[in-house]
Amino acid sequence: MSRPVRLTVNGAPASFDVEDRTTLLDALRDELGLTGTHAGCEQGACGACSVLLDGEIVRSCLLLAVQAGGRTVTTIEAVGSPGRLHPVQEALRRHHGLQCGYCTPGVVLTAIDLLERVADPDEEEVREALAGNLCRCTGYAGLVDAVLAAARDAGPGR
Amino acid sequence: MKPAPFAWHPAGSVEEAVSVLSADEDAKLLAGGQSLLPLLSLRLARPTTLVDLEDAGLGVLEIADGDRAQPAASGDSRVLVAGAMVRQRRLELDPLVAATVPLLADAARHVGFPATRNRGTLGGSLAHADPVAELPAVAVALDATVVATGPRGERRLAASALADGFFATTLEPAEVLTAVRFPAAGPGHGAAWCEWSPRLHDFPDAGVGVAVELDGTGALRWVGAAACGIGGGPLPLGDELAATAAGATEATPGLLRAAAGAVTAAARGAGDGRDELCGLLAARALAQAFRRAQDRQVAS
Ligand code: FES
Ligand code: FES
């Protein structure tokens, strides 16, 4: 049995019909074609599927699509563009914060969520914020450097 | 499609949730879903219906008059009432929680990740009863009261009477945990949560929460404590610490050593050296709680 869901995705109204058991992750990818949200573990452990729900970082594999009805979802597709990267994306590129890129959408959104709340985080705060985002390539040092640099470049009082 | 089929039922009230649960024994409650969704995706849980508590009015977070004539935990007679659907992130960040139940705020920041704390709830954590979960141990350490509503109405039970072994509680099948009432901190109150996890923010091997209250002369007049990760549910440690620390005015090395020994003995039988780990964590938490209580007295 499917159910209609209406929500706002990346600033525009979106709707789809899904079974109740469909996760938000699957709905974003399969119903809306937003494949930038990556499916890693699909059980809450890796952070690859992170999106913003009403402006807060959540894991889209730990949410039913029907639970997102009436809410606002932001995915990586709304962040930067190939010609004009978001400062966090630019910093990841400069500091070798990605290799295969599988974890990257989740890392970018998690970093944006951190910098929204803490304009000038120290290394420990960055590590703590990123602790739930698994990366099999970079060894994390580049990720941490990039987020610190993005915060620095943005300067105080962004 | 990972979970097996089920029907999602957003409940508009606790009564509605209770009636759905009463009519269908394979219906389950959905709170924050941060432990349940993985179980669904792994098909370890196959409910017929998921009763979503999001809109059931369980988001209250407020101070209220206490129910006990002489609350054991506190020189303050009020309680912090936290609804079952209060998010873990709010417990971590809301100044009201930090001021009135500092152990809850200190422990909440160790639960999962920011992304899961934005969804995960207090009530979900207590009802899921994972033996390594922090929040059930906090409720036991502080002698909190759990409020539940079932087909026969509302009842209250001590947090220590909620746990019933690994991932099990004493709640009836059709009961909904609606709120937790935490004794509010008095003037000489200090608290700390310490845990050890091999990877930052992963499930801990063990964790210990300690809250103390000092009297006007700076002597310890009350201590509450509990551990997670030892056995099937929260391990109360208040009596062990009271026996070693009552009347103390300083967390001296001798006192911390005695406290670690008493807690290690209480946790005896936990494998992999976790009993001694628990003793160390308790000593560390006691020392921090002591210092915070002293700071609070100086500040007030
Ligand atoms: S895919 Fe959601 S946390 Fe791994
Ligand atoms: S860049 Fe490959 S997983 Fe992170």
Side-chain angles (χ1 to χ4, degrees):
Chain A
M1 195 195 75
S2 4
R3 188 190 295 268
V5 178
R6 275 176 225 293
L7 68 172
T8 302
V9 178
N10 297 336
S15 62
F16 42 72
D17 280 14
V18 285
E19 284 187 59
D20 288 351
R21 59 175 164 158
T22 309
T23 62
L24 177 61
L25 169 64
D26 284 342
L28 290 171
R29 293 177 58 86
D30 301 342
E31 304 300 326
L32 300 181
L34 295 172
T35 52
T37 302
H38 286 170
C41 63
E42 298 181 73
Q43 48 176 286
C46 75
C49 67
S50 302
V51 298
L52 301 177
L53 178 73
D54 293 336
E56 292 183 332
I57 193 81
V58 299
R59 307 197 149 181
S60 61
C61 72
L62 295 185
L63 208 67
L64 300 173
V66 291
Q67 290 180 283
R71 294 170 171 260
T72 296
V73 174
T74 305
T75 70
I76 194 66
E77 281 85 354
V79 180
S81 64
R84 203 185 146 82
L85 296 180
H86 184 281
V88 169
Q89 293 170 317
E90 181 59 41
L92 282 166
R93 195 173 66 113
R94 258 188 293 121
H95 292 268
H96 306 288
L98 69 152
Q99 288 176 30
C100 80
Y102 205 84
C103 69
T104 310
V107 169
V108 170
L109 288 166
T110 301
I112 288 174
D113 179 68
L114 169 69
L115 298 178
E116 278 291 315
R117 289 175 293 107
V118 188
D120 184 24
D122 60 23
E123 179 175 338
E124 198 183 315
E125 286 170 304
V126 171
R127 286 189 178 274
E128 201 164 322
L130 291 178
N133 292 75
L134 302 187
C135 175
R136 309 211 53 177
C137 305
T138 64
Y140 301 102
L143 296 183
V144 175
D145 290 348
V147 177
L148 287 169
R152 237 187 354 257
D153 294 350
R158 287 170 317 132
Chain B
M1 201 72 74
K2 308 201 93 190
F6 56 79
W8 174 68
H9 184 120
S13 67
V14 172
E15 291 66 33
E16 184 182 343
V18 169
S19 79
V20 177
L21 292 179
S22 303
D24 176 1
E25 64 179 21
D26 292 321
K28 286 272 174 278
L29 294 174
L30 171 63
Q34 302 302 285
S35 299
L36 182 55
L37 266 283
L39 292 176
L40 295 174
S41 285
L42 295 163
R43 300 206 176 190
L44 292 170
R46 303 180 68 131
T48 48
T49 302
L50 274 192
V51 185
D52 192 339
L53 293 175
E54 179 81 43
D55 296 322
L58 298 178
V60 60
L61 187 67
E62 65 187 21
I63 294 289
D65 288 333
D67 7 50
R68 281 168 282 192
Q70 193 69 48
S74 175
D76 193 315
S77 61
R78 299 169 309 159
V79 292
L80 177 73
V81 181
M85 288 298 288
V86 172
R87 310 282 175 198
Q88 292 150 4
R89 191 67 164 157
R90 184 154 180 220
L91 299 178
E92 174 192 2
L93 298 176
D94 195 308
L96 179 65
V97 180
T100 56
V101 191
L103 184 60
L104 187 56
D106 209 28
R109 114 193 132 72
H110 292 272
V111 179
F113 314 107
T116 61
R117 295 200 289 278
N118 276 332
R119 297 293 305 166
T121 64
L122 172 66
S125 177
L126 264 68
H128 184 56
D130 189 323
V132 299
E134 290 87 354
L135 302 183
V138 169
V140 168
L142 297 176
D143 199 14
T145 300
V146 171
V147 187
T149 295
R152 288 186 303 280
E154 184 180 285
R155 71 178 173 121
R156 296 184 179 190
L157 62 159
S160 56
L162 179 67
D164 196 21
F166 290 90
F167 296 99
T169 69
T170 56
L171 293 174
E172 309 274 336
E175 261 184 329
V176 179
L177 192 164
T178 55
V180 186
R181 299 169 70 90
F182 294 93
H189 188 101
W193 178 271
C194 289
E195 70 177 41
W196 169 251
S197 152
R199 290 163 303 278
L200 190 60
H201 290 293
D202 209 336
F203 293 110
D205 287 338
V208 179
V210 175
V212 303
E213 284 201 13
L214 310 182
D215 66 18
T217 70
L220 188 144
R221 55 161 282 271
W222 174 84
V223 54
C228 69
I230 308 292
L235 177 68
L237 295 168
D239 290 348
E240 283 74 10
L241 290 187
T244 48
T249 54
E250 222 33 87
T252 60
L255 169 60
L256 296 178
R257 189 166 174 207
V263 168
T264 300
R268 193 67 79 204
D272 299 333
R274 251 181 285 179
D275 52 352
E276 286 188 42
L277 174 62
C278 194
L280 289 172
L281 292 168
R284 185 172 296 179
L286 176 62
Q288 274 181 27
F290 227 110
R291 182 155 349 102
R292 288 172 184 172
Q294 288 166 336
D295 289 349
R296 195 169 163 127
Q297 273 190 330
V298 170
S300 67

